[in-house]
């Protein structure tokens, strides 16, 4: 196994965020347990709305059938009543004594006797104005008399002529309007009531699923994956949570196998790297060849990476900083050997308070991405600017620039615009944050990508 790096801490005057961890950037459940789903996207709302629409359609069909049947029966009863009255009066005229004991209508009855010439020679009191005048309605079955709708029938009464009998429809029209009003009111208020009831029932029915979602949001995949509690009822929610628990168990087993394999790979790489570093160091002492020095530096970087991988295999994702105050020129020489062809600009004559290995790792990732984007014949610039409060490292290339559709997503793990693994920018931003700074990127107005990494200045006095 490789020995850990010595950590010599230098207490800075300016505050630094030393406790930031890489796991916080890779934990998807962070901050999601308090999230709430918008009502229009809620499963409860969709279920309640679907339930209300289906119930509305059923109520509409059933109500239309019932109202249609009711109105038909009322109309039939009205016609039966009208025909019965007309038959009674006609029988009374044609068969004297046959209509005894049967009501022929009172003062409000609508009756007229029409002779063979079409003249009204007798009428009930309410129609007295039609007497001695031609019959005005012809064969109409519905007429309006004094703003009253009247339905009428006619009967032949032998030598007397024709009997006209009418019956007011006011009660039937009122009943029809009441039925239609009740149907419309039901169609308006029933969906609202059903939606509220469905929302409440859905909230109660899906409460177990919502609680499970909140618990799932708090699961940290870097630690042991706890299973979700199952509801008492063995319904669809119980089945879903059971399937999720089985999936979590399989994920945890897969993670354990991956960590074990990663640990074995790192262990197998450790011994060859140690031998390679020793051989390159001896070759550097003998030949003083710059290519050998560069290869030795790359071997040091590989050793540093294997230590991070060993921490990952052990489940320790937290980065730790070893603070040093180094000349900026040392950092420049180190980066120049790692990424050749870089044009260094700005003031490299000062000092930097940082973790040299981590800061080198962050800038190396930015320079490697810039070199890949610019191509073998393109240009890559690294500019250092120092102010009273902070240091800024600007990496710019002559490539095509950043894909505009990615935006800030370019800093998310496994998101890449150039076909790489997508981890370099994420790790570089995390290192900048751990130093108390930040990393931003975009496309330069003159073309090419531009990344600016800032960290606080050393702010050291003479005694420090």
């Amino acid at each position: 196994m490789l020995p850990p790096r010595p950590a010599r801490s230098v207490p800075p005057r300016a505050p630094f965020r030393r406790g930031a961890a890489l796991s916080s950037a890779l934990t998807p459940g962070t901050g999601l347990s308090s999230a709430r789903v918008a009502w229009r996207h809620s499963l409860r709302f969709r279920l309640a709305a679907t339930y209300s629409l289906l119930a509305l359609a059923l109520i509409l069909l059933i109500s239309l059938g019932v109202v249609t049947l009711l109105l038909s029966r009322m109309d039939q009863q009205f016609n039966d009543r009208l025909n019965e009255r007309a038959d009674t009066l006609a029988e009374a005229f044609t068969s004297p004594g046959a209509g005894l004991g049967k009501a022929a209508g009172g003062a409000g009855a609508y009756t007229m006797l029409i002779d063979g010439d079409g003249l009204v020679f007798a009428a009930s009191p309410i129609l007295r104005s039609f007497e001695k005048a031609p019959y005005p309605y012809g064969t109409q079955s519905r007429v309006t008399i004094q703003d009253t709708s009247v339905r009428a029938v006619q009967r032949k009464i032998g030598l007397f002529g024709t009997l006209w009998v009418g019956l007011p429809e006011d009660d039937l029209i009122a009943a029809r309007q009441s039925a239609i009003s009740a149907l419309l009111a039901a169609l308006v208020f029933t969906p609202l009531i059903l939606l509220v009831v469905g929302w409440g029932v859905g909230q109660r029915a899906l409460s177990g699923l919502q609680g499970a979602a909140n618990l799932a949001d708090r699961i940290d995949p870097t630690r042991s994956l706890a299973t979700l509690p199952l509801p008492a009822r063995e319904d669809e929610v119980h089945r879903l949570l059971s399937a999720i628990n089985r999936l979590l168990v399989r994920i945890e087993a897969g993670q354990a196998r991956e960590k074990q394999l990663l640990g074995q790979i790192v262990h197998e790489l450790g011994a060859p790297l140690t031998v390679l570093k020793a051989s390159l160091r001896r070759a550097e002492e003998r030949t003083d060849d710059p290519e050998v020095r560069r290869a030795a530096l790359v071997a040091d970087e590989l050793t540093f990476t294997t230590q991070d991988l060993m921490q990952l295999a052990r489940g320790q994702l937290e980065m730790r900083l070893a603070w040093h105050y180094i000349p900026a020129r040392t950092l420049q020489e180190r980066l120049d050997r790692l990424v050749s062809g870089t044009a260094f600009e700005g003031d490299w004559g000062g000092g930097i308070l940082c973790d040299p290995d981590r800061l080198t790792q962050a800038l190396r990732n930015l320079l490697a991405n810039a070199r890949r984007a610019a191509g073998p014949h393109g240009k890559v610039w690294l500019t250092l600017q120092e102010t009273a409060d902070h240091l800024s490292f600007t990496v710019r290339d002559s490539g095509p620039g950043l894909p505009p559709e990615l935006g800030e997503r370019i800093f998310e793990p496994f998101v890449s615009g150039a076909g790489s693994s997508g981890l370099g920018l994420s790790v570089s931003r995390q290192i900048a944050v751990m130093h108390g700074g930040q990393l931003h990127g975009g496309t330069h107005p003159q073309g090419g990508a531009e990344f600016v990494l800032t960290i606080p200045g050393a702010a050291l006095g003479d005694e420090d």
Side-chain angles (χ1 to χ4, degrees):
M1 295 179 57
L2 299 173
R5 295 186 302 142
R8 180 170 61 86
S9 300
V10 178
R13 291 287 182 89
F16 291 88
R17 296 172 58 188
R18 303 187 182 184
L22 183 60
S23 59
S24 63
L26 300 179
T27 303
T30 305
L32 293 178
S33 59
S34 60
R36 292 293 180 267
V37 179
W39 65 268
R40 61 185 180 277
H41 302 307
S42 172
L43 177 60
R44 280 182 293 161
F45 176 76
R46 295 202 303 271
L47 290 176
T50 303
Y51 164 73
S52 299
L53 291 177
L54 290 176
L56 177 61
L58 291 176
I59 291 174
L60 178 60
L61 293 176
I62 296 174
S63 299
L64 284 176
V66 171
V67 170
T68 302
L69 179 62
L70 177 62
L71 294 179
S72 176
R73 295 296 298 272
M74 291 172 61
D75 192 80
Q76 182 64 38
Q77 291 178 0
F78 185 88
N79 285 332
D80 292 342
R81 181 183 172 192
L82 176 60
N83 288 321
E84 181 181 2
R85 172 174 292 188
D87 292 339
T88 301
L89 290 176
E91 186 178 4
F93 278 102
T94 56
S95 302
L100 294 177
K102 297 182 179 180
Y110 292 79
T111 57
M112 290 187 294
L113 290 176
I114 308 165
D115 60 16
D117 297 328
L119 295 176
V120 178
F121 66 88
S124 57
I126 199 170
L127 301 175
R128 194 73 69 186
S129 60
F130 292 98
E131 288 185 355
K132 310 305 179 183
Y135 172 66
Y137 299 126
T139 59
Q140 297 181 36
S141 61
R142 280 187 173 85
V143 297
T144 302
I145 300 174
Q146 297 179 356
D147 298 329
T148 301
S149 178
V150 177
R151 189 180 302 185
V153 294
Q154 297 180 8
R155 294 288 189 272
K156 291 293 184 179
I157 52 176
L159 298 177
F160 292 97
T162 303
L163 173 66
W164 182 93
V165 179
L167 191 63
E169 292 185 303
D170 293 345
D171 294 340
L172 181 62
I173 293 174
R176 183 184 295 114
Q177 292 177 346
S178 299
I180 294 175
S181 300
L183 177 60
L184 293 177
L187 294 180
V188 171
F189 292 104
T190 300
L192 299 178
I193 297 174
L194 291 176
L195 187 61
V196 174
V197 173
W199 179 270
V201 173
Q203 182 176 10
R204 181 176 181 85
L206 299 178
S207 59
L209 190 59
Q210 182 177 359
N214 293 334
L215 290 175
D217 283 337
R218 292 195 291 269
I219 291 179
D220 186 356
T222 63
R223 296 179 173 86
S224 178
L225 300 179
T227 56
L228 302 175
L230 300 177
R233 239 178 349 191
E234 295 187 3
D235 52 7
E236 287 80 0
V237 176
H238 185 282
R239 182 179 178 185
L240 174 62
L241 296 183
S242 299
I244 293 176
N245 285 339
R246 291 192 295 270
L247 177 62
L248 291 175
V249 171
R250 292 196 298 270
I251 291 175
E252 188 170 14
Q255 287 180 343
R257 288 193 298 268
E258 290 173 359
K259 289 180 180 180
Q260 183 179 6
L261 177 61
L262 184 59
Q264 293 175 353
I265 293 174
V266 172
H267 180 75
E268 294 298 327
L269 287 177
L273 276 177
T274 302
V275 176
L276 179 61
K277 285 176 57 179
S279 300
L280 289 174
R281 190 175 297 110
R282 290 193 298 268
E284 181 183 1
E285 293 173 354
R286 290 196 307 268
T287 62
D288 198 23
D289 188 345
E291 292 296 330
V292 174
R293 288 199 302 272
R294 183 178 179 183
L297 184 59
V298 172
D300 289 338
E301 294 295 329
L302 287 176
T303 302
F304 181 52
T305 302
T306 56
Q307 292 177 1
D308 288 344
L309 291 176
M310 180 59 73
Q311 287 184 343
L312 178 62
R314 293 172 178 173
Q316 301 171 352
L317 295 179
E318 183 178 357
M319 285 186 179
R320 300 182 183 276
L321 299 184
W323 294 90
H324 299 273
Y325 185 75
I326 63 171
R329 191 70 63 184
T330 301
L331 179 64
Q332 176 189 353
E333 295 173 355
R334 190 171 182 180
L335 292 172
D336 188 32
R337 290 195 298 269
L338 286 172
V339 185
S340 59
T342 302
F344 293 89
E345 300 178 352
D347 182 14
W348 292 85
I352 305 175
L353 181 62
C354 63
D355 183 325
D357 293 329
R358 292 297 184 188
L359 186 58
T360 300
Q361 181 184 7
L363 293 174
R364 179 198 62 190
N365 291 339
L366 297 178
L367 291 173
N369 289 342
R371 172 53 59 196
R372 187 183 303 111
H377 304 293
K379 295 183 179 180
V380 175
W381 298 272
L382 174 57
T383 304
L384 173 59
Q385 294 178 335
E386 182 177 4
T387 64
D389 299 325
H390 63 272
L391 300 174
S392 63
F393 298 88
T394 303
V395 177
R396 184 189 164 201
D397 61 66
S398 60
L402 297 179
E405 66 275 7
L406 291 182
E408 282 293 306
R409 292 183 58 246
I410 197 71
F411 294 102
E412 296 179 7
F414 310 112
V415 175
S416 172
S420 60
S421 64
L423 287 175
L425 291 178
S426 174
V427 173
S428 296
R429 170 172 276 190
Q430 183 66 22
I431 292 174
V433 171
M434 293 177 64
H435 279 81
Q438 56 187 353
L439 173 62
H440 297 290
T443 299
H444 195 271
Q446 298 179 1
E450 181 181 61
F451 290 90
V452 180
L453 187 152
T454 61
I455 61 174
L460 298 177
D462 294 337
E463 183 180 350
D464 296 327

